[in-house]
Amino acid sequence: MVFGWTTVFFKTRQLGYLNQLRTISQTAYTHPSSSAAFSKLSSEDISYLKGIVTPRGVVEEKEALEPFNTDWIGKYKGNTSLALKPSCTDQVSQILQFCYEKKLPIVPQGGNTGLVGGSVPVFDEIVLNLGNMNRIRDFDSKSGIVTCEAGVVLETLSNFVNEQGYTFPLDLGAKGSCQIGGNLATNAGGTRFLRYGSLHGSTLGLEVVLSNGKVLNMLSSLRKDNTGYHLPHLFIGSEGTLGVITAASICCPKKCRSVHTALLGVESFDKVTELLVRCKDEVGEILSAFEFMDRNAVQLATKLLSHVRDPFSSTFPFYVLIETSGSNENHDMEKLEKFLESCYSADWISDAVLAQDQSQMNQLWTLRESMPEAVNRSGKYIFKYDLSIPLEHFYDLVSEMRSRLADYTCQVVSWGHIGDCNLHLNISSSDSNESLSNLIEPYVYEWTRAHGGSISAEHGVGRVKSKYLSMSKDKQVIDLMKQMKQLLDPHGILNPYKIFSKEE
Amino acid sequence: MVFGWTTVFFKTRQLGYLNQLRTISQTAYTHPSSSAAFSKLSSEDISYLKGIVTPRGVVEEKEALEPFNTDWIGKYKGNTSLALKPSCTDQVSQILQFCYEKKLPIVPQGGNTGLVGGSVPVFDEIVLNLGNMNRIRDFDSKSGIVTCEAGVVLETLSNFVNEQGYTFPLDLGAKGSCQIGGNLATNAGGTRFLRYGSLHGSTLGLEVVLSNGKVLNMLSSLRKDNTGYHLPHLFIGSEGTLGVITAASICCPKKCRSVHTALLGVESFDKVTELLVRCKDEVGEILSAFEFMDRNAVQLATKLLSHVRDPFSSTFPFYVLIETSGSNENHDMEKLEKFLESCYSADWISDAVLAQDQSQMNQLWTLRESMPEAVNRSGKYIFKYDLSIPLEHFYDLVSEMRSRLADYTCQVVSWGHIGDCNLHLNISSSDSNESLSNLIEPYVYEWTRAHGGSISAEHGVGRVKSKYLSMSKDKQVIDLMKQMKQLLDPHGILNPYKIFSKEE
């Protein structure tokens, strides 16, 4: 077992390669035409809307609109002619009130790092980008409750609460670009979910602007408040289709003084699942991440990205990244070392590296977090899946896809937050091949449904999965969702063509 | 500092003294008349409804109906002539479908341990008691996810998951009687909230029957599922007014091998708040409870309840009960002892006892959990408040009420989950005195609002606080709540006269 290796410096957890990605055909996903119920944006409308925001809050030039029209993976392209960047809640309210009256469709947009085409227009919907609403309104140093605007970048927020002695309960690879409003609207999961749970648990309150412009102030600096319905939860994960989140109050746990990261090489998937159960038991309350990668994923990342390294000298079929966060350095190290040693003795792990400093920790996290970038570079056509699959079947789908696609030149790689049964399955190919595509979809979704999983664990439905919604939810439940949509957005102007498919 | 004391045996955490409590006048809270929109229950209706459930699922005798008509503290009495105890979801669905068609009002009822009169009829509403739906449907030993019916008693559920190596994330004094369905419907908080957070974080899915009898199957054995709106959260905390929760899937954390309990005597409230901040920091990830009691509360409990003892030989103005739960006995004990010693040296605590065995732990918890029983026995007229108050003002209200009521013969006692800023303020008096009552209400609620708190931290609104709802929520937010009620229960048959006051 290797408990140390030479220090390597990396610029880590940054995602700034949008422009290197390719735009990919997505005929299968587009709605055939924009809804006739909406009005066409007129020059008078534009003049009025421009008057609401400051000059730096208006984007009209075709080229400048490109990043507002194109999603993060370059797969979905809208055709808006107007992006508005309000700087306060009142401006959001005025914009929505006008759009509501005029029946003008609008797409709320945060950092635009989503993976299901949810944050860009399908046609010419106005983009409402929250990026200029980026103030931290309040922080209570005794309770760790932060109240901030929707446009605060996750990394900025995370660094801010860190400096105050707290940890932000959400962390994900896109932290350098994604915004807290978008995180909430998509109920983002990420690597800390295992320890700190979902945003439904951490979020104490929201400020939301409804489609008609009415502002709902549901912010709260109280951990407990049982007065009436818990409405903020309705907006968490609603992907901007029920209202626009403009601010949030979130409860942050105390910062852990002692953080350790280890990478384990594992010979079989059965051993990975055993490790997880054992790790939860032995490392217990200090376990803060349990991430999974398969050999193909690690190979791809180290091959395609020069800043990514595999710290092992041998290769393994599976890799597990463990992070612990606790309050006592000696206790934590003792627990982790004891766990690693017992696993090694019992042959559950074949090798392990334990990061000795921040730089080595970064190196391990870089390996894990570079996966999306690596797969995006690996082929022109990429099929990305974000699935919840019960542990006993977790890797079966990956193996099955490899055999199913054996005759094609493509790569099947997987990684994920296995501690939460969340698999990221990716298939990349250099050629556009209809028969390959037909072998993949809807099979992946059908398989997931048949094995009791969810077709979207943490990325949401957006545009990509709207036609498969019924594979995860009963008709009665979808019917109630539609009633909610009708109640809160009767003109359907908020993020149209998302979540629900046209057929439904 | 005392680190041990003689063992005393207690039958702890049982609440079975309903019949000892007095029924108290509540004129101020009753609605003047039942709604004219509802039908009167006819003998034909009764015959039909009786045909849906099994014979043991029908209660009609006046005396047998008494516990269904009377709330836990004996304060609210309804006048139903029919209580139904369905044994499956389909029966609940049939009952509601009939009541919906006939416009018959109905009160969903769990263990009936609520403190805001939410689970008993106001007039003659039918009682739908879920107590016979008490099966644990499924448990996944690898993930700790339990799926069970609404009528499972919290303690039964807690013991069940405990035997499987897990901890139920909710614990409260009424555990021996309350049911998980009621806990969810009221978003119960309790003593483990500090460690495991709210039910919004732990609940993965619900099965709910809507007012029209439609069954929504939103159960889930997945920690992550971002497919569409997160509807279960709408029913958590809706107090049976939007739908009837019939089953739930809840994620349980691993059971902690090492649990320790300590009671601290503290000289001032400032020191209590300092202790909390320090404890979160030093005891960190193993802190599982931080409970507060004032001298009056401890004095009352030890005086009125023979099974309750104060382990200290001296008295203190304030008491804090700390519990730690972790995976390593030595580490946990080291952290806790170090914390206690440092607090003692710094004069933050005046004395401390650390329970040496399960029996002593029970003794400390009995002291804390006997508070409601003690206060109920202390006077004929009891004013109970469950408030969220920011830490800096937490005890000010108690002190203020003592001066405000100095001329009256009454007792002002307080305790609470101070780790979550949740104060239970109780005022008891032997005489019914209108001027005393007028000095208390609405002052307590106004003071709470003025200091940024919530008029109901964990008990809900029910009947008691409906007229004060606007003190915690904006009009726009209450309006949306009402729209939700209208959408989900258009005839208003589900738990009428609760949450919303007639005036609103």
Side-chain angles (χ1 to χ4, degrees), chain B residues 73-335:
Chain B
I73 49 168
K75 194 165 182 177
Y76 300 97
K77 275 183 92 74
N79 191 31
T80 195
S81 53
L82 182 67
L84 297 168
K85 298 185 78 176
S87 50
C88 65
T89 306
D90 183 53
Q91 289 180 5
V92 176
S93 167
Q94 286 183 56
I95 292 167
L96 284 176
Q97 196 181 342
F98 182 79
C99 290
Y100 183 84
E101 282 162 13
K102 296 277 181 176
K103 295 193 182 167
L104 291 167
I106 196 156
V107 178
Q109 186 179 76
N112 199 8
T113 60
L115 293 167
V116 290
S119 56
V120 289
V122 173
F123 300 103
D124 55 356
E125 303 92 280
I126 298 164
V127 170
L128 182 72
N129 186 292
L130 279 292
N132 282 348
M133 286 187 64
N134 55 6
R135 284 169 292 262
I136 291 172
R137 292 189 188 165
D138 188 50
F139 182 76
D140 181 332
S141 62
K142 283 208 170 163
S143 64
I145 296 167
V146 63
T147 299
C148 66
E149 292 178 346
V152 181
V153 168
L154 178 59
E155 192 167 45
T156 308
L157 192 53
S158 187
N159 291 342
F160 172 82
V161 303
N162 230 263
E163 283 158 19
Q164 317 290 321
Y166 287 85
T167 295
F168 199 72
L170 175 74
D171 190 28
L172 44 98
K175 68 194 293 185
S177 309
C178 66
Q179 297 166 10
I180 188 62
N183 296 148
L184 286 158
T186 55
N187 188 34
T191 52
R192 290 184 186 154
F193 190 101
L194 178 76
R195 172 70 166 268
Y196 300 116
S198 89
L199 287 167
H200 285 288
S202 320
T203 307
L204 302 182
L206 295 180
E207 180 186 84
V208 172
V209 183
L210 296 180
S211 72
N212 58 11
K214 281 191 184 164
V215 180
L216 292 183
N217 180 359
M218 304 177 289
L219 292 170
S220 171
S221 56
L222 304 167
R223 272 173 65 84
K224 285 179 167 180
D225 176 23
N226 272 354
T227 51
Y229 306 151
H230 297 213
L231 297 179
H233 296 281
L234 196 58
F235 299 95
I236 296 173
S238 70
E239 306 186 34
T241 65
L242 295 180
V244 177
I245 294 171
T246 48
S249 319
I250 293 168
C251 189
C252 303
K254 282 291 262 184
K255 183 177 165 180
C256 292
R257 279 188 289 273
S258 147
V259 179
H260 297 286
T261 313
L263 186 72
L264 322 180
V266 191
E267 282 303 330
S268 74
F269 190 75
D270 282 350
K271 289 185 180 179
V272 172
T273 63
E274 277 304 328
L275 270 177
L276 172 60
V277 173
R278 210 167 167 139
C279 190
K280 280 187 177 175
D281 199 44
E282 290 186 28
V283 182
E285 64 280 352
I286 59 166
L287 184 63
S288 54
F290 194 102
E291 296 286 313
F292 158 84
M293 296 167 276
D294 69 12
R295 178 67 208 147
N296 288 25
V298 170
Q299 216 152 19
L300 208 65
T302 49
K303 189 177 133 198
L304 298 180
L305 303 170
S306 61
H307 67 286
V308 176
R309 283 203 197 163
D310 173 358
F312 294 120
S313 46
S314 322
T315 61
F316 304 99
F318 301 99
Y319 297 80
V320 167
L321 190 154
I322 289 177
E323 187 190 73
T324 64
S325 307
S327 60
N328 185 304
E329 180 68 29
N330 296 338
H331 291 171
D332 295 1
M333 192 48 109
E334 191 187 319
K335 282 190 184 92

Side-chain angles (χ1 to χ4, degrees), chain A residues 265-269 292-296 315-319 395:
Chain A
V266 191
E267 280 303 329
S268 74
F269 189 76
F292 158 84
M293 297 167 276
D294 70 12
R295 177 67 207 145
N296 287 24
T315 62
F316 304 99
F318 301 100
Y319 298 80
Y395 201 67

Side-chain angles (χ1 to χ4, degrees), chain B residues 18-19 21 54 79 85 98 118 157 181 213 348 358:
Chain B
L18 175 65
N19 53 357
L21 293 168
T54 59
N79 191 31
K85 298 185 78 176
F98 182 79
L157 192 53
W348 295 111
Q358 187 61 47

Side-chain angles (χ1 to χ4, degrees), chain A residues 339-446:
Chain A
F339 168 69
L340 292 177
E341 277 159 15
S342 74
C343 291
Y344 197 64
S345 307
D347 199 31
W348 294 111
I349 55 177
S350 303
D351 206 348
V353 289
L354 185 55
Q356 300 298 302
D357 54 29
Q358 188 59 48
S359 164
Q360 290 189 349
M361 273 189 215
N362 290 348
Q363 183 179 339
L364 296 186
W365 274 110
T366 299
L367 175 64
R368 166 61 189 85
E369 292 185 341
S370 67
M371 295 290 149
E373 183 177 356
V375 82
N376 284 348
R377 292 193 182 203
S378 69
K380 205 169 167 193
Y381 299 88
I382 300 155
F383 299 84
K384 296 180 79 67
Y385 302 98
D386 157 50
L387 312 162
S388 268
I389 299 180
L391 204 57
E392 64 267 32
H393 303 299
F394 193 81
Y395 201 67
D396 296 350
L397 177 61
V398 184
S399 309
E400 196 158 324
M401 291 314 289
R402 287 211 179 105
S403 352
R404 196 172 162 90
L405 307 176
D407 294 342
Y408 294 82
T409 313
C410 64
Q411 310 217 45
V412 179
V413 299
S414 74
W415 64 87
H417 317 292
I418 192 172
D420 313 309
C421 296
N422 182 183
L423 176 73
H424 293 317
L425 166 70
N426 291 262
I427 301 162
S428 73
S429 156
S430 298
D431 311 307
S432 164
N433 185 322
E434 205 179 322
S435 65
L436 171 73
S437 172
N438 291 341
L439 272 177
I440 299 173
E441 285 189 30
Y443 184 79
V444 166
Y445 296 123
E446 284 165 355

Side-chain angles (χ1 to χ4, degrees), chain B residues 60-67 69 79:
Chain B
E60 288 185 287
E61 302 263 314
K62 197 168 165 55
E63 206 165 310
L65 282 168
E66 191 71 8
N69 266 321
N79 191 31

Side-chain angles (χ1 to χ4, degrees), chain A residues 142 186-190 193-195 200-201 210 214-218 222-231 233-239 241-242 254 257 273-274 277 280-286 326-328 331-332 334-335 388-391 417 419-420 422 452-461 469 472-474 476-477 480-481 483-485 487-488 499-500, chain B residues 142 186-190 193-195 200-201 210 214-218 222-231 233-239 241-242 254 257 273-274 277 280-286 326-328 331-332 334-335 388-391 417 419-420 422 452-461 469 472-474 476-477 480-481 483-485 487-488 499-500:
Chain A
K142 283 209 169 163
T186 56
N187 189 33
F193 190 101
L194 178 76
R195 173 70 166 268
H200 285 288
L210 296 179
K214 280 190 184 164
V215 180
L216 292 182
N217 180 359
M218 303 177 290
L222 304 167
R223 271 172 67 84
K224 285 179 168 179
D225 176 23
N226 272 354
T227 52
Y229 307 150
H230 297 212
L231 298 178
H233 296 281
L234 196 59
F235 300 95
I236 296 173
S238 70
E239 305 185 36
T241 66
L242 294 181
K254 281 292 261 185
R257 279 188 288 274
T273 62
E274 279 303 328
V277 173
K280 280 187 177 174
D281 199 44
E282 290 186 28
V283 182
E285 63 281 352
I286 60 166
S327 60
N328 185 305
H331 292 172
D332 295 0
E334 192 187 317
K335 282 190 184 93
S388 268
I389 299 180
L391 204 57
H417 317 292
D420 313 309
N422 182 183
S454 165
I455 62 159
S456 176
E458 58 175 12
H459 293 168
V461 176
L469 183 61
S472 274
K473 290 284 167 9
D474 283 359
Q476 303 271 24
V477 178
L480 183 55
M481 289 180 191
Q483 288 177 283
M484 291 289 161
K485 173 73 176 168
L487 175 67
L488 286 162
I499 297 187
F500 306 107
Chain B
K142 283 208 170 163
T186 55
N187 188 34
F193 190 101
L194 178 76
R195 172 70 166 268
H200 285 288
L210 296 180
K214 281 191 184 164
V215 180
L216 292 183
N217 180 359
M218 304 177 289
L222 304 167
R223 272 173 65 84
K224 285 179 167 180
D225 176 23
N226 272 354
T227 51
Y229 306 151
H230 297 213
L231 297 179
H233 296 281
L234 196 58
F235 299 95
I236 296 173
S238 70
E239 306 186 34
T241 65
L242 295 180
K254 282 291 262 184
R257 279 188 289 273
T273 63
E274 277 304 328
V277 173
K280 280 187 177 175
D281 199 44
E282 290 186 28
V283 182
E285 64 280 352
I286 59 166
S327 60
N328 185 304
H331 291 171
D332 295 1
E334 191 187 319
K335 282 190 184 92
S388 268
I389 299 179
L391 205 56
H417 316 293
D420 313 309
N422 182 182
S454 163
I455 61 158
S456 176
E458 58 175 11
H459 294 169
V461 176
L469 183 61
S472 274
K473 291 285 172 352
D474 283 358
Q476 301 272 24
V477 178
L480 183 55
M481 289 180 191
Q483 287 177 285
M484 290 289 160
K485 173 74 176 169
L487 175 66
L488 287 162
I499 297 187
F500 306 108

